[in-house]
Each structure stands twice: as structure tokens, then as C-alpha cells.
Amino acid sequence: MRSLKVRIFLIILLVGVIPALILRAGIVANYEKRAINQRETVVQNQMKILANHLITYNYLTDTSSPVINAELEMLTNLYDGRVLIINKSYVVVKDTYGISEGKIAISEEVSRSFKGESISNYVEADEANRDGYIEMTIPIMETRLVPAMESDSGKEEEVTDVKGVMLISFSAESITVIKDLLLRKSTILEVLLIIAIVGVAAFLAVILARPFNKVTNAIIDVKEGRRSDALPVSDYVETTHIIDAFNQLLERERILNESRQEFVANVSHELKTPLTSMKVLADSLLEMGDADPELYKEFLSDIAKEIDRENSIITDLLALVKMDKTANEPNISKVKINDLLEIILKRLRPIARKMDVEVMLECHREVEAEVDEVKMSLIISNLVENAIKYNKEHGHVNVSLDADHQHFTLEVKDTGIGIPKESLGHIYERFYRVDKSHSREIGGTGLGLAITKNAISMHRGTIKVTSEENVGTTVLVSIPLIYVKKDQ
Ligand SMILES: Nc1ncnc2c1ncn2[C@@H]1O[C@H](COP(=O)(O)OP(=O)(O)OP(=O)(O)O)[C@@H](O)[C@H]1O
Ligand SMILES: [Mg+2]
């Protein structure tokens, strides 16, 4: 895994050091080229003047001219060099070092110069020649005036003859010395620059990575329980995104925790209530000693009711837990919803009759859907049970089934007591019951709709409840005909 700090450090280092290196090489190379060019031009000009003098004094045939010799000496001293003067027969007539006089000097450069070319070569310093030198060959030219070719006009034209070649080599020591100095100085400068860049890079890497460290530390604090509130807002957009996401996670965790605590509290309370009643009933019986057997019977039947209640609460709770656990693997099959409705209503009708409520079923079409049959039964029976339970005398419950090409809809409409507006948002909460005292009479644990909603969302369906107090309640459930897995 790569570290952000190291990455920032390397990037700044590269961005800083590479231009510094290029700049240094460029400056030194540029200096050398310019200095050599300049020196060559100056020497070439001087030598051209000298070449003219050589012609004037006829030096190529007679090298005794003191003026030229003095001039030659001055130049060679000035540039720390050597001059060879070669005549047309490639014979060295003058060598300022006095070594090669009378010898033949043929080289490519000399022959080219005999054709009128001036040539210059810079031989860079190496191990054999410490300072480097510049070698130049310059033609010694004589210009004469001759009658023009079409000479009737009497015009004359200039003709140049190469009479000899001058070979000059002079040391580039001063240039090499300055170049070395420049190299040394720029190396020192570069080292200092690199040290500075490394420092700046390290500093920036630490500074730029600091917000990330802060976020990490804050998250560790939360993990180890040193803080539980939201993390402070950061100054960077990137870290702000992380912090926002983390704070949302924290909030979700908090809400989850709260609802879990509330759930546990509710469960304990609900489970305790029937137990308390049983205890009171049993204690009263014990205190009475030899009470009327009828009274015993009545109390025991009350105790039995409480046991049933406890049992139904535990059954509901288990259903809920099971649904949470198996949320991802429902047992899907093709189910004829019409048949399922018939079966469930047949089971519920005796209860409805007891409460003087009429239950009607209206199927607009045959519906076959991919559902979990057990869960679908739970949904239907919970809704119809509620519509019966929270109804009035001579009330009605209308169950209707319809479908389009994607969903089937199940409507359970009653003419019951209705749900107050402020309670509508809470009816799916576990253990929520609208009017505690009234609901107690009716009986129930407040888990039915929680289970129903859970089962509906497992089928990717929706549930909508509309209600008016003392008029009635309508529950509309819509479920896809074809089961869709969540992550498809
Ligand atoms: N059709 C309805 N008419 C009026 N009130 C209703 C209706 N359906 C639900 N309620 C209200 O919503 C509350 C929650 O319903 P839910 O089915 O979750 O619990 P319950 O019926 O009290 O208990 P159980 O767990 O036995 O179903 C009910 O207590 C009731 O107050
Ligand atoms: Mg219910």
C-alpha cells in the first residue's frame, strides 16, 4: 500500500529537482558553446588579417620578414598557440614551435582549405589533453585583378588564388577553466537547491497529509470509545467528504442502537405484563384459601388467557427475528393469490362473525405471483385481522385483489375506528399501538404491522395506509408479480 505522504514527497522532489538538473546542464553547455564561438571568431579575424600581411610581405617564399615574425610571436603568445604556415607544395615554411619546418603537411583540413574553406574544430578536454584546444585551418589568399573573360569591354575582374594554408591550434584552457568553475559552482548550488527542495517536500508532505491523519485519529477515538459525537468539519473538500460519510455512518449506528435499546425495553415490558397479571391472579387465589370452585375456574381461565397472550407475543417475536435473519433468502414460488386469499378469509370469518363484522372478497382477476407463500399469508392475515379487530359492530371489511402487467394490488378496507393522523407514521414500529387502553381490550402486541411491512419490503413491494377516525382505514399493498432480487 502506498503512503500519501511518500507520494507527495516524491512528486514535489521530482518537480523541483529535474528542472534544476536540466537548467544546470543547459547553462554549462550553453556557456561552452558561446565561449568557443566567440574565441574562434576573434582568432579567425586576426588570422585573416595576418594572412593578408603574409601575401603583402611575400612570406610564403621568404620567411625572414621581422614584421610578420613579430606579429606571429605576439599572436601565439596571446592565444597560447602554435601557427604553421604551409605553402602550395604542402611544405611547412613556418612553425612557431620550430619543429615541423620543411616537412610536408597533408591532412583533410589542409586540402579543403586549399580549396578556399576555413575550418575550425574544437577538441574537448580529456585525459590526454587536459585543457582542450581549438584547431583552425585558414586559406592564405591573394586577390588579383585580371581582364574580364569577354574582355572586349576592357573590364577587369577580381580573381583569388589560394597561395597557402595557415594551421593554427590554440589552447582552450581559459574556457575549460571557466567551464569547470561554472560546473563546480552550479553543483554546489544544485546540492543546496536539492537540500532545500527535500526540506520543502518533506514539510509539504507532512502538512498536506495532516488532515488525513486527523480524520484517522478521530475515527480511532470513536472506535475506542473516547468520543461518540460527530467529527469536526475539516478544511479540505476531500477529507470533508470522508468525515461526512463517517458522520452519517455514526448517526445510523446511533439510531440503530437507540431502536435496539427501545426494542429490548419494549420486549421486556410486553413479556412482563402477562407475567405480572398471572402472578397477581395466582397470589389472589393463594390468599383466598378455600374459595368457591367457580372463582378458581374463572381465575385459572384468566391465567390461561395470559399464557396465550405471552405465547402469541413470543410467536410474533420469533417470526420477526426469523424474518430479519432470512431476509436474504425467501422461499419463492408461484402462488395463486386468489386461492391464498380464500383460505385465509375462511379461517378469519368465524372471528369476524363473533365480532359482528362482515368480510367480503372481490377478485378482479386471477393473479399468480412469485412470492414467499408463508410470508404472503402473514401479510394478508395481519391486515385482515386488524381490519376485523379495529372495526365496529355491524362493520364491514372489503378485501379486493387486482393486477396490472407488473404488480398485483391488495386492498383491505374497513369501516372501523380509524387511526389518528399523528399515529399513522408510527403504526409500523414494533409494539406500537394507537390507544393503549382501548387496544388492550382488543388485544394484540403491536408487532403485526412491523412483521407485515418487513415481509412486503422483502418482496420489493409497498404499503400505504389511509385512514379517517371513526370512518375507517384503507390499506393498499402493491407487490411485483415477478420476484426481483435486491442487488439485480
Ligand atoms: N385497520 C385498523 N384500524 C384502526 N387501527 C389500526 C388498524 N390497523 C392497525 N391499527 C392500529 O395500529 C396499531 C398497530 O397494529 P399492529 O397490527 O402492528 O399491532 P396490533 O394489531 O396491536 O397487534 P398484533 O401484533 O397482534 O397485530 C394497532 O394497535 C392499532 O392501534
Ligand atoms: Mg395487528
Side-chain angles (χ1 to χ4, degrees):
M1 217 176 333
R2 296 177 185 128
S3 154
L4 176 70
K5 239 188 265 184
V6 173
R7 218 173 238 208
I8 294 174
F9 177 77
L10 289 178
I11 289 172
I12 298 174
L13 205 63
L14 279 182
V15 168
V17 169
I18 290 177
L21 288 176
I22 293 174
L23 212 68
R24 184 183 83 127
I27 287 174
V28 173
N30 195 33
Y31 163 76
E32 193 178 18
K33 209 169 134 196
R34 274 189 47 196
I36 299 287
N37 269 344
Q38 213 174 16
R39 179 68 59 88
E40 278 172 356
T41 319
V42 171
V43 174
Q44 209 165 38
N45 286 341
Q46 298 244 12
M47 289 306 163
K48 274 183 182 158
I49 296 168
L50 180 69
N52 285 338
H53 289 178
L54 292 181
I55 295 293
T56 316
Y57 285 91
N58 208 10
Y59 194 79
L60 285 167
T61 44
D62 177 11
T63 56
S64 62
S65 163
V67 180
I68 301 291
N69 283 337
E71 210 172 324
L72 271 173
E73 200 180 324
M74 193 194 77
L75 279 176
T76 47
N77 284 343
L78 187 64
Y79 296 118
D80 184 17
R82 178 182 183 185
V83 178
L84 295 184
I85 294 169
I86 301 158
N87 71 9
K88 244 190 148 131
S89 336
Y90 291 88
V91 175
V92 178
V93 292
K94 176 72 182 176
D95 175 2
T96 51
Y97 277 14
I99 305 169
S100 305
E101 275 167 19
K103 288 183 184 159
I104 300 286
I106 303 178
S107 71
E108 198 202 323
E109 284 85 1
V110 172
S111 344
R112 274 167 61 198
S113 274
F114 268 113
K115 286 175 193 143
E117 230 181 300
S118 292
I119 300 156
S120 176
N121 273 327
Y122 169 51
V123 181
E124 262 186 81
D126 57 29
E127 268 162 39
N129 95 86
R130 243 192 34 215
D131 301 326
Y133 59 89
I134 300 170
E135 211 173 53
M136 295 166 83
T137 44
I138 291 170
I140 303 165
M141 291 193 284
E142 183 185 37
T143 312
R144 284 180 291 123
L145 283 174
V146 292
M149 287 291 245
E150 56 286 9
S151 60
D152 301 340
S153 57
K155 274 187 187 164
E156 287 184 322
E157 58 180 16
E158 274 188 358
V159 173
T160 44
D161 284 336
V162 180
K163 293 286 183 188
V165 166
M166 222 175 345
L167 195 80
I168 311 119
S169 63
F170 55 91
S171 157
E173 186 191 359
S174 59
I175 294 170
T176 312
V177 167
I178 294 179
K179 184 183 138 192
D180 284 348
L181 195 77
L182 213 64
L183 260 175
R184 230 173 300 133
K185 281 201 168 163
S186 59
T187 305
I188 294 172
L189 207 74
E190 200 173 79
V191 169
L192 289 177
L193 202 70
I194 290 174
I195 292 173
I197 291 170
V198 168
V200 169
F203 179 71
L204 281 180
V206 171
I207 291 281
L208 291 177
R210 191 173 285 168
F212 290 94
N213 292 343
K214 259 196 204 163
V215 174
T216 312
N217 289 339
I219 293 175
I220 289 174
D221 280 352
V222 172
K223 188 188 94 191
E224 299 195 340
R226 284 192 290 271
R227 76 182 293 165
S228 56
D229 53 332
L231 304 188
V233 182
S234 164
D235 3 310
Y236 285 81
V237 176
E238 290 77 3
T239 43
T240 307
H241 287 332
I242 300 176
I243 287 176
D244 280 351
F246 184 75
N247 281 343
Q248 278 166 22
L249 195 77
L250 215 62
E251 179 62 14
R252 211 186 69 184
E253 182 80 352
R254 192 185 61 75
I255 292 170
L256 220 75
N257 224 7
E258 262 177 29
S259 74
R260 200 173 297 140
Q261 275 171 6
E262 196 186 304
F263 179 66
V264 170
N266 285 339
V267 168
S268 328
H269 179 258
E270 291 299 321
L271 290 179
K272 255 184 107 173
T273 317
L275 280 179
T276 316
S277 308
M278 285 188 263
K279 171 83 175 145
V280 171
L281 289 166
D283 280 350
S284 330
L285 276 183
L286 282 174
E287 269 168 30
M288 274 188 261
D290 46 352
D292 183 359
E294 278 302 310
L295 205 67
Y296 265 104
K297 230 182 187 172
E298 194 190 322
F299 274 37
L300 280 176
S301 94
D302 284 347
I303 289 177
K305 268 189 211 150
E306 291 300 329
I307 290 173
D308 284 345
R309 195 165 130 71
E310 184 91 46
N311 195 24
S312 97
I313 294 175
I314 290 169
T315 311
D316 281 355
L317 269 176
L318 286 177
L320 210 58
V321 170
K322 205 169 145 199
M323 200 142 4
D324 280 348
K325 264 196 184 159
T326 57
N328 295 322
E329 37 192 295
N331 187 12
I332 301 295
S333 62
K334 278 208 170 211
V335 177
K336 286 192 170 129
I337 307 294
N338 308 59
D339 296 352
L340 194 66
L341 274 171
E342 300 267 6
I343 296 167
I344 294 168
L345 292 193
K346 198 174 165 193
R347 214 178 63 217
L348 291 175
R349 272 205 181 98
I351 307 169
R353 216 169 296 133
K354 227 193 257 170
M355 300 185 68
D356 197 11
V357 171
E358 194 186 353
V359 180
M360 311 269 280
L361 174 63
E362 196 183 342
C363 291
H364 294 279
R365 64 193 73 231
E366 287 287 313
V367 175
E368 200 178 45
E370 291 178 4
V371 292
D372 181 317
E373 190 167 355
V374 176
K375 273 155 200 157
M376 202 59 226
S377 309
L378 264 178
I379 296 171
I380 299 168
S381 50
N382 271 328
L383 294 178
V384 179
E385 220 175 74
N386 280 354
I388 297 169
K389 265 202 305 191
Y390 304 104
N391 220 312
K392 295 178 192 159
E393 247 177 90
H394 314 303
H396 294 273
V397 173
N398 277 308
V399 181
S400 65
L401 175 71
D402 202 351
D404 57 23
H405 54 287
Q406 277 186 326
H407 299 85
F408 70 91
T409 50
L410 181 74
E411 191 188 70
V412 182
K413 194 172 180 172
D414 67 57
T415 53
I417 56 171
I419 305 167
K421 261 201 173 65
E422 62 273 18
S423 297
L424 267 179
H426 299 285
I427 51 174
Y428 306 110
E429 289 169 15
R430 292 160 180 189
F431 297 113
Y432 182 84
R433 310 198 70 206
V434 173
D435 176 359
K436 293 267 171 189
S437 58
H438 180 67
S439 301
R440 182 110 320 152
E441 280 169 37
I442 296 172
T445 47
L447 286 172
L449 284 178
I451 293 170
T452 305
K453 175 135 196 214
N454 212 327
I456 290 172
S457 55
M458 186 178 293
H459 288 92
R460 323 283 164 245
T462 55
I463 176 169
K464 213 169 108 189
V465 177
T466 46
S467 185
E468 198 176 329
E469 266 184 285
N470 288 319
V471 177
T473 304
T474 306
V475 183
L476 191 69
V477 174
S478 166
I479 289 174
L481 291 168
I482 293 165
Y483 178 73
V484 199
K485 268 195 171 177
K486 201 162 206 167
D487 37 18
Q488 265 183 354

